[in-house]
Amino acid sequence: MGAFSGFYKKTIPERIEILKAERGLTEEEAKTLLNSGALDLETADHMIENLIGVNHIPLGVAPGFVINKKEYVVPMCIEEPSVVAGAAKAAKLAAQSGGFSADADEPVMSGQVQLVGVPEDALIKFEENKEEIEKVAKELCLGMERYGGGFRKAEASLLDTKRGKMLNTVFLVDVRDAMGANTINTMLEGIAPLLAEKIGGKIRLRIISNLATRRKARAKCIWKKERIGEDAIEGILDGYELALHDIYRCATHNKGILNGVDAVALATGNDWRAVEAGIHAFAAMDGYKPLNKFYKNEDGDLVGEIELPLAVGTVGGSIKTNPIAKIALKILDVKSAQELSMVMAAVGLAQNFAALRALGTEGIQKGHMKLHASNLAVLAGAKGDEVDAVSKKLGEEKEYTVEAAKRILKKLRGK
Ligand code: NAD
């Protein structure tokens, strides 16, 4: 990762030159990045309804992630200052201790068909017809077998609700490198009439579940005490303990993890609402808990572990229509959705490590305010070198307002 050392000090064109050399970006891709031409209106008009424009979010990279001994440059799309820097710093410290180890489950997603007003013996009828139901479900997913995935199994439970008896049928499909929603929803709509015919009742919902508990990714890292210091380790452990005992802190603790996870999901064109929904439901399964854990090993080093469901894809959805997503995936250089989910788990863990390390020691406002000051300088009208000069002065005066930035800029320009 030598080529990426001091990356943050380079100009944007210099950074893109490095990515061309190190990640094989083409001239065209470099131009797309330099023009921040993420999406042209014509393409975007085919993606959603009533289009009126495109909202851009900054795209950065966190180089230096070593995961299962492979080096990654991680693209992150986020508007919040300090997140990319935090991830990059945590990755660097992790790499000095051997990096992250990670693994992921097979990419199996589930979807549900709801039958309402079913007879008392609905579950028995489901079991009697299961072979035929599974055979048809398999045929409906044949396309996935080409990629090594396909239908896995069907199961059902009878729910006695205030609106009567309902049969909740669940279908499991290995969706390989897709997120899987379209694949599964299409299959569910295909299988539903057969279910109604064999079991009785009325078909209602036919939809994927975003709680992807069969599709989890895990990452682990040992941060050596010589590298990060004993006080930082104690601060991180104290911070983690508060999240374990207090849900108000726990929500923010998990938000720190999602700062990393969502930023990669967004950069790679993934459905981050699906990711968020699944992760929060998973965190709440036994009472809302942190998604990771921190503890000390016998050498006094800090061990961080994370496990979370990650329904993300490297194909399908808007990934192929969004040029930035394609470039981001090229920079990341992952070969499968499973590999992408391992990277996201490691980034989430790194992000939380970075946040707790800062919070437990010097606090996060110092770093945040430095970037915030640059924003204020730009808002006040500063250009080129003026931005740094104005933001430096704002830091010295510790007055972070646009008015102060305007006053400083006026003085700087000799007016
Ligand atoms: P998709 O249907 O666009 O793409 C998947 C297709 O890609 C597969 O059917 C297959 O033909 C093809 N493919 C090529 N190479 C493949 C490989 N190696 N592995 C697997 N498939 C491969 O996408 P999808 O992932 O089924 O659906 C994702 C989209 O659905 C997202 O845009 C999401 O926002 C949306 N969605 C989400 C929800 C939800 O989360 N609740 C509901 C509806 C729609």
Side-chain angles (χ1 to χ4, degrees), residues 26-308:
T26 62
E27 231 11 272
E28 191 68 19
E29 288 164 339
K31 226 185 279 167
T32 303
L33 289 173
L34 280 168
N35 295 335
S36 54
L39 263 182
D40 59 79
L41 289 182
E42 206 188 321
T43 311
D45 201 22
H46 295 293
M47 293 172 75
I48 65 161
E49 307 76 25
N50 298 350
L51 190 93
I52 57 160
V54 173
N55 186 0
H56 291 208
I57 295 181
L59 170 73
V61 290
F65 269 90
V66 176
I67 305 165
N68 294 340
K69 301 199 165 55
K70 176 174 167 182
E71 290 185 3
Y72 293 89
V73 178
V74 179
M76 302 176 80
C77 239
I78 190 156
E79 82 297 344
E80 189 178 336
S82 305
V83 173
V84 178
K89 179 77 186 161
K92 192 173 170 188
L93 289 168
Q96 289 166 349
S97 308
F100 296 85
S101 55
D103 69 289
D105 299 332
E106 296 297 308
V108 174
M109 297 294 287
S110 69
Q112 297 163 282
V113 177
Q114 177 194 31
L115 286 180
V116 300
V118 291
E120 286 286 335
D121 62 349
L123 210 46
I124 297 167
K125 284 187 166 151
F126 172 81
E127 290 300 333
E128 281 170 0
N129 292 283
K130 195 169 166 184
E131 206 176 305
E132 185 181 350
I133 291 166
E134 290 197 325
K135 187 168 161 276
V136 176
K138 184 175 158 60
E139 279 161 16
L140 287 164
C141 296
L142 272 189
M144 257 313 141
E145 293 189 9
R146 196 175 329 146
Y147 309 107
F151 175 74
R152 292 294 175 258
K153 67 172 180 168
E155 47 200 42
S157 57
L158 190 63
L159 307 175
D160 203 356
T161 79
K162 70 173 194 274
R163 294 186 56 82
K165 289 213 165 24
M166 297 177 183
L167 193 71
N168 179 26
T169 55
V170 179
F171 291 82
L172 305 185
V173 184
D174 183 326
V175 294
R176 283 293 106 188
D177 298 319
M179 178 266 177
N182 286 325
T183 306
I184 293 206
N185 294 346
T186 306
M187 186 274 270
L188 297 174
E189 294 198 3
I191 196 76
L194 179 69
L195 290 173
E197 182 198 319
K198 298 290 179 192
I199 298 163
K202 186 172 171 56
I203 303 164
R204 288 289 191 197
L205 309 187
R206 289 142 289 168
I207 185 82
I208 192 167
S209 168
N210 289 114
L211 179 52
T213 51
R214 293 171 183 86
R215 197 179 186 179
K216 294 195 291 286
R218 288 158 290 275
K220 180 177 177 179
C221 182
I222 300 169
W223 280 277
K224 295 261 186 253
K225 74 167 183 263
E226 301 78 48
R227 296 283 177 187
I228 61 170
E230 285 183 37
D231 188 49
I233 292 180
E234 297 306 324
I236 289 168
L237 291 173
D238 284 341
Y240 171 64
E241 202 65 23
L242 184 58
L244 278 176
H245 285 86
D246 177 68
I247 193 167
Y248 289 88
R249 172 56 209 158
C250 191
T252 322
H253 179 98
N254 284 343
K255 192 270 183 181
I257 292 171
L258 289 165
N259 270 345
V261 171
D262 283 354
V264 182
L266 201 50
T268 54
N270 271 287
D271 182 339
W272 77 97
R273 289 88 53 208
V275 168
E276 285 264 343
I279 287 177
H280 282 296
F282 176 70
M285 279 178 98
D286 299 311
Y288 193 74
K289 292 276 173 351
L291 294 155
N292 61 343
K293 48 183 163 186
F294 283 113
Y295 57 93
K296 263 194 292 193
N297 66 12
E298 59 276 14
D299 299 325
D301 300 326
L302 180 75
V303 185
E305 289 180 25
I306 190 166
E307 179 181 58
L308 68 181

